[in-house]
Structure formats: structure tokens, C-alpha cells
Amino acid sequence: MSEQPLPTQITADPAISDRIAEVADRWRDHEWELIRSTPLAPNMNLALDEVLTSAVGRGDRKPTLRFWGWDRRAVILGRFQSVKNEVNVEAAAAEGIEIVRRISGGGAMLVEPEGAITWSVYAPESLIRGLSFAESYAFFDAWAVLALRRLGLEAWYAGLNDITASGGKIGGAAQARRWNAVLHHVTMAYEMNGELLNRVLRVGKEKLSDKGIQSAAKRVGPLRQQTDMPREALIEHFITAFADQAPLAESTLTPEDIVAAEELIEKRFATEDWVNFLP
Amino acid sequence: MQGQFKTPGGKLVVVDFQVVEGMLRDVTVHGDFFLFPDDAFPALAAALEGTPAGLDSTHIADRVRRGLPAGAELVGASPEAIATAIQRGLAAAGDRA
């Protein structure tokens, strides 16, 4: 499925591309809100995902698009990944890189404050009703693929949850579904320190077995390299692209959101039981 | 011992386990797959605990499928992928022995 689709399609799978086109109007069924990024601790970003997903599920918040900001470097593990299997723990400690675990599945990522563009979409489950998991991943990211194409990149959706282009993999998506809501978040590489990545993350041969390459760093084509645009300009470009497909109004985190997230950090995200859920 | 399998175009599953008196013990399943709902996760390892090491892949996959709660869905991986990871782990251990 890594072959390039036709320019009119999002993925190389025509059935998925057609299905997404059929339901594209659903984005307009909601008035969306935008939360712009401010630098936050890794665990605060993760806890806010839970707070905002449940708020949207309860109807206390409108469906929301939030851009993440990072105040430090971190490794963010997927829900079902083993710490030791994915991370060279000694190398991470020596670099002062925090290891945290998110509520969604998928793979580990290493982020540096200006090195990634990450956003979360918090939506009611009705947005993806009737779609398969594979269709829903591509549906949630179709606008971002089109935004990249508008910059002149030959971008497409590959495999289950990868955003890629002729210059290399750009990013990946992960979902969690709970509280009658869907969390769909995406991280794109903006700049990458391949040497640090290869030192801190362990990416085995088996994981790359269907990629035809030898290292995780080699398969990534960071956005700076592929677009030559400043990170902030890219974020604005994505915001504009989202606003083209659905009404989008400015919003902010409330003090209550932060308090709820702080409680979750203490109760879950900062605990050994959570981080070392799979040691 | 450990076995891994990446579903082509999908995700990686890794299974860590011991073989004690011919049966799989201390089974841990992990990887970058998705599982909905996520609280079905303990059922994966529980379904594999005590599996005879000589069981074929089809029957291992059946145990995983039956062990998952109704409505639970692995995404990017499958009971068959988990069975393949186990067979690979057993084969690698056999090669070392």
C-alpha cells in the first residue's frame, strides 16, 4: 500500500479514498474550535488529550483541533509498547529525555520542542460512524494530506496511519476512542536529529521489514527538508487548510482544563504503573 | 524468549514468553498496534497463558480470537500475527538450543 495513489485520491487504496470522499461533508456538520499551541510539559499534553476528548464526548466542548507545544524533549510511547523494547533507557537518561506514555496505540516518537508539529482532533464518535478503522484514520487526515499537496508535495496516506511523501515519511497518526468521542492525533517531523533518534529509540529489523530500509531515521523526510518553510508558517498553513473544510473558531484552554489535567497527571500519567505499564 | 511479526502495511507485535513444561508462561504482548477498546489488552496475554508450545498457528490464533471480549478489535495486527510472532520466538529458541 505504499505505492503512490492517483492525484485525486488520498490513499493508494481506491476503496478507502472513495469512501472518504463520500463522507467528507461530515466535517461541516460541526462548528469546530481551535486551541493554539503554547509550550507545555509532555505529560500535560497527554493529560489534556484525555480531558478534552472526554469534554467533547460529554458535549461540554465543541469538537476541537488543538496544536501541541513542547517545553522539553521527550519520548512518547504508544499505549501498548514496552519501554525497554522501544527505548535505550540509559541513552535517554543521559540526554535528560523524559519517557512518557500516551493513551493511544501506535509507535514511539522522539520529539524536540521545535522539531515536531503535533495536533489532536477531538470529535464525537458520530463523525466516523460506519467507517472502518482504516477508513477513519485516512478520513481524519485527508485535509492534512491536501494541505501538504497545496505546498507542492506529492503527499499521500500510506499503510494504516502514515502520512508520507516522495521525500520520505512525514508523520503518523494514532487514535483512542472513549467517552463517546474519538481522539485522533498526528505528529509530523519538522526537523530531525537522526543521530539522536537512532541512539535513543530502538527500532528493530522486523519493524522495518516491509519498508526496504535499514534505519528509522532514513525513512523520515522532515517537513523542513521537504518544504523549506518555518515551523510556525506550516502550522498556520494547516490551520487555514482545516478552516477551509469546516468552520473553525478560536478557543483557549480554561483554568478548569488545566486543573483537570494536573489531577490526571498525578493520578495516572506521572505514575510508575502507567509509564512502566509494559516495562 | 521473544518473537516478533510485523503485518505488511500494518503494525508490529512482539510476544515475550517462557516455555515451562511445554506450555507458554509469563506471556507479554506488546507493540505499536492498536486495540479498541484498550481495556481489552489484558485478554491478549491471558488467552495465551498456558498454551501448549506445540500448538499450530491456526489454533493459537483461535485462542486469541476467543479470548478477546466481544466487539474488541485489533487494528494493524491480528490473532494470526500474534501466532506468527510466537512461532518465530519458538523457532529462534529452537535454533539456539
Side-chain angles (χ1 to χ4, degrees):
Chain A
M1 283 228 300
S2 59
E3 69 186 85
Q4 283 190 45
L6 295 171
T8 52
Q9 298 175 338
I10 297 299
T11 80
D13 183 333
I16 292 182
S17 297
D18 290 352
R19 183 76 179 116
I20 293 164
E22 276 169 30
V23 295
D25 283 352
R26 287 187 189 179
W27 286 103
R28 295 197 179 277
D29 292 347
H30 303 280
E31 290 176 3
W32 293 78
E33 290 189 340
L34 169 69
I35 299 175
R36 290 175 183 275
S37 76
T38 48
L40 297 170
N43 267 336
M44 178 54 77
N45 276 308
L46 302 181
L48 281 172
D49 264 1
E50 181 161 339
V51 168
L52 297 174
T53 306
S54 61
V56 168
R58 288 193 309 269
D60 290 347
R61 234 187 206 285
K62 288 182 178 170
T64 298
L65 168 68
R66 176 175 75 96
F67 280 83
W68 297 31
W70 305 96
D71 70 354
R72 69 194 82 168
R73 302 188 296 180
V75 170
I76 296 110
L77 291 172
R79 179 76 176 88
F80 307 119
Q81 288 188 301
S82 137
V83 176
K84 285 194 202 76
N85 211 70
E86 305 302 326
V87 188
N88 182 335
V89 177
E90 293 74 31
E95 292 283 346
I97 296 174
E98 209 169 299
I99 300 169
V100 295
R101 185 184 297 278
R102 61 178 188 264
I103 58 173
S104 61
M109 57 203 207
L110 168 66
V111 294
E112 300 188 77
E114 301 298 316
I117 295 175
T118 300
W119 68 77
S120 295
V121 176
Y122 313 98
E125 254 186 331
S126 58
L127 188 70
I128 51 163
R129 190 164 292 148
L131 300 185
S132 69
F133 284 98
E135 288 164 350
S136 77
Y137 275 89
F139 169 80
F140 267 114
D141 293 334
W143 65 275
V145 170
L146 294 175
L148 291 168
R149 287 182 180 173
R150 244 174 269 160
L151 296 174
L153 273 69
E154 287 176 47
W156 69 96
Y157 214 65
L160 176 69
N161 61 332
D162 283 352
I163 296 169
T164 195
S166 42
K169 174 178 164 169
I170 293 169
Q175 283 182 16
R177 299 182 181 196
R178 242 183 265 182
W179 315 289
N180 301 313
V182 190
L183 158 68
H184 180 99
H185 47 198
V186 172
T187 288
M188 291 187 170
Y190 176 66
E191 270 187 304
M192 191 181 55
N193 181 341
E195 186 274 322
L196 183 70
L197 182 83
N198 287 329
R199 197 147 40 89
V200 172
L201 293 189
R202 297 181 198 276
V203 180
K205 274 189 228 145
E206 179 61 16
K207 178 148 184 200
L208 300 169
S209 58
D210 61 346
K211 311 280 187 197
I213 41 147
Q214 271 80 53
S215 88
K218 281 194 186 132
R219 61 191 278 243
V220 179
L223 275 176
R224 182 167 183 183
Q225 186 184 302
Q226 297 202 57
T227 66
D228 205 25
M229 281 171 71
R231 182 173 170 275
E232 286 307 314
L234 278 166
I235 291 174
E236 287 307 312
H237 177 75
F238 284 120
I239 290 171
T240 305
F242 190 97
D244 279 350
Q245 73 162 359
L248 183 66
E250 299 275 346
S251 179
T252 52
L253 294 170
T254 64
E256 292 76 21
D257 293 331
I258 300 290
V259 169
E262 279 168 350
E263 281 169 10
L264 275 176
I265 290 170
E266 196 179 332
K267 195 179 86 184
R268 169 161 333 126
F269 290 97
T271 64
E272 275 295 297
D273 279 358
W274 177 257
V275 179
N276 282 322
F277 165 63
L278 290 157
Chain B
M1 51 194 79
Q2 181 180 86
Q4 308 196 1
F5 178 69
K6 182 175 190 297
T7 302
K11 301 282 119 191
L12 179 74
V13 284
V14 184
V15 187
D16 292 315
F17 58 96
Q18 308 293 324
V19 176
V20 181
E21 291 172 359
M23 292 198 266
L24 271 54
R25 297 290 179 201
D26 300 326
V27 182
T28 309
V29 181
H30 54 97
D32 64 351
F33 55 86
F34 297 90
L35 175 66
F36 299 98
D38 65 349
D39 57 13
F41 180 70
L44 290 178
L48 293 164
E49 198 69 33
T51 299
L55 205 62
D56 64 50
S57 289
T58 309
H59 286 94
I60 296 176
D62 281 346
R63 281 181 78 117
V64 174
R65 197 172 291 107
R66 280 200 312 267
L68 281 172
E73 194 173 340
L74 273 165
V75 177
S78 60
E80 287 71 21
I82 292 173
T84 303
I86 291 169
Q87 297 292 9
R88 285 184 170 185
L90 289 166
D95 289 348
R96 280 197 302 273

